[in-house]
Amino acid sequence: MAKITLTAALTNEYSTLFDTCIIDKPKEQEVDRTAGKIASNQVRYERVSALVGMPWYLVGIIHCMEASLRFDRHLHNGDRLTARTVHVPRARPIKGNPPFTWEESAEDALRLQGFDKGSDWSIPGILFKLEGYNGFGYRMKHPE
């Protein structure tokens, strides 16, 4: 499968999508509640973000995507922290022994995804990383 890179065209697409995004009225309270839950765990997210070198709120967004903001689940894929991951990516974290702390697992997941390699933390850069977290399969099959 071809590798996706953050081109100028893709940067423009992400910017346009972000700038034109409208939260449906019935979903506004849910979005506000979720943002509040993420913000209430800022200190915990900052601990992991400092180890990896990324914005704390992005850790929180990924936590919401992958584990429904549950601190008893792997950031890799939402599996329970009582064992290594079962779903893709399997058998993570490699180091240590279960049960894992949420922070141990989160650091492993983010390093596995390359968040520690530095990145463009602009809105388009963040949206690119979020799409890539679960893979560009949809984009590759539906480039239009």
Side-chain angles (χ1 to χ4, degrees):
M1 190 171 272
K3 180 176 169 43
I4 300 280
T5 56
L6 185 57
T7 62
L10 195 51
T11 296
N12 288 335
E13 180 183 337
Y14 284 126
S15 291
T16 299
L17 288 169
F18 185 82
D19 291 343
T20 60
C21 180
I22 298 171
I23 300 168
D24 290 336
K25 204 70 163 154
K27 294 287 187 178
E28 285 178 353
Q29 285 185 340
E30 182 181 346
V31 170
D32 287 344
R33 270 194 308 274
T34 301
K37 286 179 186 176
I38 290 170
S40 73
N41 288 298
Q42 179 177 345
V43 171
R44 199 160 186 185
Y45 297 138
E46 284 176 336
R47 283 188 220 127
V48 173
S49 72
L51 296 171
V52 180
M54 61 187 285
W56 70 266
Y57 50 85
L58 184 51
V59 178
I61 292 167
I62 294 168
H63 188 213
C64 185
M65 276 181 7
E66 296 299 321
S68 302
L69 299 175
R70 292 184 59 173
F71 285 100
D72 63 342
R73 304 292 171 145
H74 285 286
L75 194 66
H76 303 80
N77 57 22
D79 288 346
R80 294 177 186 273
L81 290 172
T82 54
R84 295 190 196 287
T85 58
V86 176
H87 297 95
V88 175
R90 290 181 52 85
R92 299 301 300 201
I94 294 172
K95 294 180 182 176
N97 294 303
F100 297 99
T101 67
W102 181 83
E103 288 79 2
E104 290 169 325
S105 176
E107 181 183 0
D108 182 74
L110 296 169
R111 288 186 187 282
L112 180 65
Q113 291 283 337
F115 283 85
D116 61 323
K117 304 287 190 261
S119 191
D120 171 0
W121 301 122
S122 66
I123 296 294
I126 287 172
L127 294 175
F128 177 75
K129 292 295 266 186
L130 286 171
E131 184 177 4
Y133 197 91
N134 282 318
F136 293 101
Y138 183 85
R139 180 176 290 280
M140 297 299 290
K141 291 179 181 154
H142 303 280
E144 70 285 350

